[in-house]
């Protein structure tokens, strides 16, 4: 079975002929076969979308398939198939040689097993206690430790210390932890790192105060009344090097009355944090997207390249105003169709056209995709890896190998909903999607397995854990707590 090319793919159960894409001066490459075809050989379809927004399919039958968006080729329309070839497209055959580097993919969208890298995986804890993890020097010994929402693991022996009484979540088949995300920060400015913990979605969230080297559980402080959206973020929203919480909030028991906001500690760190509006509050008939407790999909990035980070959900994005953190009014919302339920939504110019695009991954199904931004501000979905791995409930955009080209990291969240989701028993691996740009500026991603049998949770950490100057990966989920060290 041939490898899936590392380009952007679009799949449609209704067939390529029914895949409508906004007209654009580009070539689309696809492959598929129809159930009525006499043989099962893949075929290629290329179409100039500027003149033909609908792609043809052979024999009038429905097809399963994928297509990859390419720029720079000057063809009107071309169909090359094992059964038929449109006579007016024959001149385009000369162009196929230039596309041979892409290879072929099967109609199912599965690829060959990705390459593997020789990273060293260590299990710090076999017990399921958290689906979020962070790192910091907890005890001020100059060595970076690992922290989950319930414990911290002291480097270099990884001795386990309780932050609070641990819950009993079993193997996670029918249960969830009370820690979906956590981040390290000195909240009360006493010189000792504390930990911010997002518990179950929609519930109050807390920060735990470092006891300054003393034994015993850490003091718990409620920081806000609800944390909504399953991908709350702790991000440098204003580009000043200071991270803030970004998440939805809703009044207790009022699921459809949420609001998107950013949060910072009050002058009294023991009090509730200060809430700063990003969106308006929901109103009857006008619910704010992304703000339910189980909403999926949230991101921070500069969508319009004005030098300011915006906030993204699957229904559109909020534009950060010129006033930045001093703004007193809700941010302008730009509606956009940015896909199905996903996890982290990260911003990067994938195709090198000067417009920033958005990469997302499916939180519970199969699929990793990107949305191409058009000059008119609309977006078109392009699938990257439709069948490689399921339940990619967290994703990080990072130059992992520090070669100057953007990569991203993700992995499988083991048993996100028990065994009810597709691919639930698939190997929970951590993946690097290594980026490289071709001569046309297109960012290509090649999947590489970094560690087996661990995967990611709903949030994970990329950090230099051992001080060797290389970035490592730290994860916690229903398989326990793991670190993967870059060689």
């Amino acid at each position: 079975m041939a490898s899936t090319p590392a380009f952007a793919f679009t799949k449609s159960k209704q067939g390529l002929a029914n895949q409508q894409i906004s007209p654009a001066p580009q070539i689309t490459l696809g492959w598929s076969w129809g159930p009525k075809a006499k043989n099962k050989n893949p075929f290629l379809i290329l179409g100039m979308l500027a003149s033909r927004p609908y792609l043809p399919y052979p024999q009038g039958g429905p097809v399963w398939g994928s297509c990859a968006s390419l720029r720079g080729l000057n063809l009107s329309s071309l169909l090359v198939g094992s059964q038929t070839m449109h006579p007016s497209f024959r001149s385009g055959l000369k162009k196929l040689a230039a596309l041979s580097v892409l290879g072929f993919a099967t109609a199912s969208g599965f690829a060959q097993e990705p390459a593997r890298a020789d990273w060293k995986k260590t299990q710090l804890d076999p017990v399921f206690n958290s689906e979020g993890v962070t790192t910091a020097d907890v005890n001020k010994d100059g060595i970076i430790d690992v922290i989950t929402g319930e414990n911290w693991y002291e480097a270099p022996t990884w001795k386990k210390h309780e932050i609070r009484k641990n819950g009993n979540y079993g193997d996670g088949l029918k249960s969830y932890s009370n820690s979906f995300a956590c981040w390290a920060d000195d909240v009360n400015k006493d010189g000792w790192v504390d930990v911010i913990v997002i518990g179950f979605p929609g519930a109050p969230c807390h920060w735990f105060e470092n006891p300054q080297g003393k034994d015993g559980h850490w003091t718990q402080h409620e920081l806000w009344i609800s944390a909504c959206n399953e991908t709350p973020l702790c991000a440098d929203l204003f580009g000043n090097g200071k991270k803030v919480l970004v998440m939805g909030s809703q009044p207790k028991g009022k699921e459809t009355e949420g609001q998107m906001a950013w949060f910072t500690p009050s002058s009294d760190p023991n009090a509730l944090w200060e809430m700063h509006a990003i969106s308006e509050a929901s109103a009857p008939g006008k619910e704010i997207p992304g703000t339910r407790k189980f909403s999926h999909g949230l991101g921070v990035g500069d969508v319009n390249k004005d030098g300011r980070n915006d906030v993204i959900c699957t229904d559109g994005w909020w534009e950060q105003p010129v006033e930045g953190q001093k703004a007193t009014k809700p941010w302008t919302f730009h509606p956009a169709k940015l896909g199905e339920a996903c996890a982290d939504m990260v911003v990067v110019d994938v195709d090198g056209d000067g417009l920033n695009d958005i990469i997302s991954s499916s939180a519970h199904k199969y699929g990793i995709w990107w949305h191409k931004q058009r000059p008119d501000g609309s977006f078109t979905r392009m699938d990257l890896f439709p069948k490689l791995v399921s339940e990619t409930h967290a994703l990080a955009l990072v130059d992992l190998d520090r070669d100057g080209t953007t990569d991203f990291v993700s992995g499988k969240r083991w048993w996100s909903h028990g065994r009810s989701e597709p691919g639930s028993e698939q190997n929970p691996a951590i993946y690097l999607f290594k980026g490289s740009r071709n001569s046309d500026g297109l960012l290509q991603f090649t999947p590489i397995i970094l560690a087996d049998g661990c995967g990611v949770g709903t949030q994970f950490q990329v950090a230099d854990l051992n001080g060797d100057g290389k970035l490592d990966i730290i994860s916690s989920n229903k398989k326990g707590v793991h670190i993967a060290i870059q060689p």
Side-chain angles (χ1 to χ4, degrees):
M1 188 181 296
S3 298
T4 301
F7 281 82
F9 309 111
T10 300
K11 183 177 74 173
S12 170
K13 288 187 178 181
Q14 289 72 37
L16 291 177
N18 298 327
Q19 178 67 43
Q20 186 176 11
I21 304 175
S22 301
Q26 62 183 24
I27 295 299
T28 296
L29 166 66
W31 47 86
S32 182
W33 53 66
K36 297 181 181 180
K38 295 181 180 179
N39 59 53
K40 299 296 184 182
N41 294 324
F43 63 86
L44 292 173
I45 299 174
L46 289 84
M48 186 65 177
L49 297 181
S51 60
R52 195 180 188 91
Y54 287 86
L55 295 178
Y57 56 73
Q59 301 184 354
V63 287
W64 285 77
S66 303
C67 64
S69 175
L70 294 162
R71 301 186 296 112
L73 294 178
N74 185 19
L75 298 175
S76 58
S77 189
L78 174 67
L79 170 64
V80 181
S82 56
Q83 294 88 29
T84 61
M85 179 186 297
H86 196 291
S88 66
F89 302 156
R90 293 183 184 276
S91 62
L93 281 173
K94 294 180 182 179
K95 300 289 185 179
L96 286 177
L99 302 176
S100 62
V101 296
L102 294 178
F104 292 85
T106 67
S108 67
F110 282 94
Q112 281 182 343
E113 182 75 4
R116 293 174 180 272
D118 189 25
W119 286 45
K120 181 182 178 182
K121 182 189 78 172
T122 301
Q123 186 179 68
L124 308 190
D125 194 339
V127 177
F128 167 43
N129 63 67
S130 176
E131 298 219 53
V133 67
T134 188
T135 60
D137 181 4
V138 173
N139 54 355
K140 298 180 114 177
D141 65 353
I143 306 175
I144 301 298
D145 309 300
V146 171
I147 312 167
T148 68
E150 295 195 343
N151 306 288
W152 68 279
Y153 302 85
E154 183 179 354
T157 62
W158 307 120
K159 179 181 177 181
K160 180 177 176 178
H161 304 264
E162 284 193 356
I163 290 175
R164 55 175 163 162
K165 183 179 179 180
N166 284 201
N168 181 6
Y169 310 112
D171 61 5
L173 181 60
K174 297 181 179 179
S175 63
Y176 301 94
S177 74
N178 195 28
S179 173
F180 271 58
C182 53
W183 302 281
D185 192 15
D186 182 3
V187 177
N188 58 359
K189 307 302 179 187
D190 66 351
W192 294 78
V193 68
D194 310 301
V195 60
I196 299 164
V197 179
I198 305 296
F200 195 78
C205 49
H206 304 85
W207 69 276
F208 291 82
E209 184 178 351
N210 191 323
Q212 301 184 1
K214 301 180 182 69
D215 293 331
H217 290 167
W218 299 21
T219 301
Q220 175 178 298
H221 305 269
E222 183 175 320
L223 71 87
W224 195 249
I225 58 173
S226 68
C228 297
N229 196 302
E230 288 195 24
T231 306
L233 302 172
C234 186
D236 184 3
L237 182 60
F238 300 105
N240 58 5
K242 298 178 180 179
K243 293 186 176 182
V244 300
L245 281 182
V246 179
M247 59 188 185
S249 173
Q250 60 186 222
K252 186 176 181 179
K254 297 183 178 181
E255 174 72 7
T256 61
E257 297 184 19
Q259 184 174 13
M260 190 62 67
W262 58 278
F263 300 81
T264 54
S266 303
S267 56
D268 176 3
N270 298 319
L272 288 177
W273 286 21
E274 295 179 356
M275 176 179 174
H276 310 266
I278 291 174
S279 76
E280 299 175 338
S282 293
K286 187 180 180 183
E287 182 181 353
I288 300 300
T291 61
R292 292 194 177 191
K293 59 184 178 182
F294 297 132
S295 290
H296 283 76
L298 194 62
V300 166
D302 185 1
V303 177
N304 58 352
K305 282 196 170 181
D306 64 356
R308 297 184 294 273
N309 283 327
D310 309 301
V311 174
I312 313 156
C313 70
T314 55
D315 288 316
W317 56 283
W318 289 273
E319 181 180 353
Q320 184 178 151
V322 175
E323 297 86 354
Q325 59 189 320
K326 295 181 180 180
T328 57
K329 296 180 179 179
W331 301 9
T332 299
F333 184 68
H334 300 270
K337 296 179 179 179
L338 295 175
E340 62 195 81
C342 61
D344 296 271
M345 305 177 75
V346 297
V347 175
V348 63
D349 182 0
V350 174
D351 53 1
D353 65 352
L355 300 174
N356 273 341
D357 311 300
I358 299 170
I359 298 175
S360 311
S361 65
S362 179
H364 297 287
K365 310 298 182 184
Y366 276 98
I368 299 172
W369 57 85
W370 62 289
H371 278 85
K372 173 180 172 57
Q373 186 171 180
R374 303 292 185 184
D376 64 359
S378 65
F379 291 83
T380 301
R381 172 169 165 159
M382 307 288 186
D383 277 339
L384 284 168
F385 302 99
K387 289 290 185 180
L388 177 66
V389 58
S390 67
E391 302 175 292
T392 45
H393 210 304
L395 182 151
L397 189 72
V398 59
D399 182 4
L400 191 66
D401 52 9
R402 292 178 169 169
D403 66 351
T405 302
T406 299
D407 315 304
F408 68 90
V409 176
S410 188
K412 182 179 183 61
R413 179 189 174 197
W414 178 254
W415 287 351
S416 65
H417 288 156
R419 292 192 175 99
S420 65
E421 300 296 358
S424 62
E425 300 294 328
Q426 184 182 3
N427 171 33
I430 295 174
Y431 292 80
L432 161 65
F433 296 88
K434 180 173 172 52
S436 62
R437 287 200 184 268
N438 65 17
S439 59
D440 197 32
L442 186 67
L443 185 59
Q444 307 171 55
F445 295 103
T446 301
I448 301 171
I449 292 178
L450 303 181
D452 292 304
C454 49
V456 302
T458 46
Q459 173 259 337
F460 66 96
Q461 181 82 15
V462 178
D464 180 6
L465 190 59
N466 57 3
D468 65 354
K470 300 177 182 178
L471 293 174
D472 311 303
I473 298 171
I474 305 94
S475 71
S476 181
N477 59 14
K478 294 175 181 180
K479 285 289 186 179
V481 183
H482 296 85
I483 59 175
I485 303 299
Q486 185 169 176

